[in-house]
Amino acid sequence: MNVLPVAAGDPAPRFVQRCTTRWGHYSFDMAAGRYSILFFFPSTLDPCAARALSVMRARAAQQADGAVVFFGVSADSADETRIPVVTGGESIRFFRDADRRVHDLYGIGVGQCFWVVVDPMLRVCLSMPDAPGVAARVLDHVMRLPPVQDGPVPALMLPAVLEPAFCHVLMDYYHTHESRPSAVLTRGADGKPVNIIDSGFKSRRDCLLRDGDLVRQLQARIIRRVVPEITRVFQCTVTRMDRMVLGRYDAAEGGCFGPHRDNTVPGAAHRLFAISITLNDDYGGGELSFPEFSSRGLRPPAGGAVVFSCALLHAVRPVTQGVRYACLPFAFNEASMAAAREASAPLTG
Ligand SMILES: O=C(O)CCC(=O)C(=O)O
Ligand SMILES: [Fe+2]
């Protein structure tokens, strides 16, 4: 257990805990991109909790834009029945923390009513014990903050990775080969990785590049034009690539991809860098965004790439006009493969 409560400037500990979501748990690293207000309390029967929660519920109901997410963290197993599963709104959720996992990670003693505010980068920006009047002060303060920090995005923009003729070769390949709705790799209720189709979250059709010669031509360009920049900018040597896939986001189908990270489920833990190469220019919307850092959207020119750490939360904004084509490999190396294998190995002995 953390002996002291987390304090402003600390990274907010990440965790997966049982929660009042439809699917029964919540991975806190998905709370990035917005402010989160965590209220730790011993039980809903505790008078301090009752008071603070009524303020929290009222503010959650007031805000229309969902810019702030409220989380109650209950240490009482009997709250399981007092706090029912929330099926609708996403702006207020409760962690079922009778095993104290979150309390311990945040250094909050059981029996305390305590506030922790986490910023869009998942860093603690305020932490204080509850007292009369504190709930309203904390919530007013957070709701007045600008929605994101609008700092620089730690991604690399590289124009001219693929020349126009090669972009056309890839788009022609797409048109002459089978494509299918792109699935989201996520965790099922049992924690195991599953592929699901959820067109509200991800609407894209993918075509796998199966032509060995074309894959070699594509890889040659990435090795020559992207890999040295990854070495220079991120001081990391990548030696492998996977997922040689072409994606098509169509405005007519609401083409988009919601906020996600690319390395969070076991089968994807080896990935180090995402290389998003846009193949065309004649579309509207479809910018890549990094909601932890900025509200700005990135839009590389045709043939240009955005290269970024797979650990960053990112999204593709809805394509509003026409179609966006992209080639979307991941880069990694032997060390990241070994680390992923180790992390997924069953504990023995
Ligand atoms: O379309 C893009 O540029 C990014 C796609 C993406 O984030 C992914 O496939 O994981
Ligand atoms: Fe991604």
Side-chain angles (χ1 to χ4, degrees):
M1 155 162 182
N2 248 335
V3 214
L4 291 173
V6 291
D10 292 345
R14 318 286 173 97
F15 57 86
V16 181
Q17 179 58 301
R18 298 181 54 240
C19 187
T20 54
T21 51
R22 265 180 294 113
W23 56 99
H25 60 264
Y26 187 81
S27 177
F28 190 63
D29 73 352
M30 293 315 291
R34 292 181 285 187
Y35 283 91
S36 299
I37 301 180
L38 294 150
F39 176 61
F40 292 81
F41 60 96
S43 167
T44 47
L45 299 183
D46 187 289
C48 96
R51 193 181 56 222
L53 290 174
S54 77
V55 180
M56 195 158 122
R57 285 197 167 99
R59 296 297 161 88
Q62 266 168 21
Q63 59 148 12
D65 56 0
V68 179
V69 188
F70 299 85
F71 293 99
V73 189
S74 167
D76 185 1
S77 59
D79 278 345
E80 298 259 335
T81 46
R82 295 188 202 110
I83 307 172
V85 173
V86 177
T87 42
E90 293 182 0
S91 62
I92 181 158
R93 288 183 160 142
F94 287 86
F95 286 114
R96 305 195 188 281
D97 201 40
D99 65 4
R100 320 273 154 89
R101 182 185 303 170
V102 188
H103 275 75
D104 284 355
L105 275 172
Y106 280 70
I108 314 292
V110 173
Q112 267 189 298
C113 283
F114 206 95
W115 294 94
V116 176
V117 180
V118 173
D119 75 10
M121 272 180 73
L122 294 185
R123 291 168 61 88
V124 175
C125 57
L126 190 149
S127 95
M128 65 193 313
D130 189 51
V134 165
R137 281 215 312 276
V138 169
L139 302 189
D140 286 345
H141 170 74
V142 177
M143 290 170 100
R144 275 197 301 265
L145 293 170
V148 269
Q149 296 151 108
D150 267 333
V153 170
L156 183 58
M157 270 270 234
L158 296 175
V161 168
L162 305 181
E163 57 278 25
F166 193 68
C167 292
H168 282 287
V169 169
L170 294 179
M171 287 187 283
D172 287 346
Y173 184 95
Y174 188 102
H175 292 137
T176 49
H177 292 79
E178 189 201 0
S179 65
R180 48 181 60 177
S182 183
V184 184
L185 184 59
T186 183
R187 263 175 217 275
D190 57 2
K192 300 219 173 90
V194 280
N195 274 309
I196 57 162
I197 301 284
D198 175 355
S199 60
F201 184 76
K202 181 184 195 182
S203 171
R204 182 175 95 198
R205 288 187 71 89
D206 286 353
C207 169
L208 196 60
L209 273 177
R210 292 177 198 276
D211 178 327
D213 196 42
L214 206 50
V215 168
R216 271 188 295 280
Q217 291 183 50
L218 173 61
Q219 288 183 331
R221 286 161 171 84
I222 293 173
I223 290 166
R224 185 164 155 162
R225 297 172 182 155
V226 178
V227 171
E229 300 299 345
I230 292 179
T231 311
R232 184 168 70 92
V233 174
F234 300 112
Q235 294 220 36
C236 178
T237 307
V238 292
T239 50
R240 311 267 184 126
M241 273 176 249
D242 69 3
R243 203 183 64 155
M244 307 314 279
V245 82
L246 304 173
R248 178 181 188 273
Y249 299 88
D250 187 341
E253 294 166 5
C256 69
F257 194 171
H260 65 282
R261 303 178 199 271
D262 288 331
N263 66 351
T264 44
V265 289
H270 63 287
R271 297 170 178 170
L272 292 175
F273 297 96
I275 303 173
S276 160
I277 310 173
T278 298
L279 303 178
N280 62 321
D281 275 323
D282 49 343
Y283 64 92
E287 301 91 354
L288 256 173
S289 72
F290 294 84
E292 288 167 298
F293 300 96
S294 173
S295 56
R296 214 180 121 209
L298 304 186
R299 187 186 157 116
V306 181
V307 183
F308 53 95
S309 154
C310 288
L312 303 185
L313 193 73
H314 58 285
V316 179
R317 296 201 175 134
V319 172
T320 50
Q321 226 184 345
V323 173
R324 170 179 177 246
Y325 292 92
C327 175
L328 302 164
F330 292 112
F332 50 100
N333 59 27
E334 285 74 13
S336 71
M337 286 168 74
R341 264 197 308 276
E342 188 141 311
S344 69
L347 293 175
T348 51

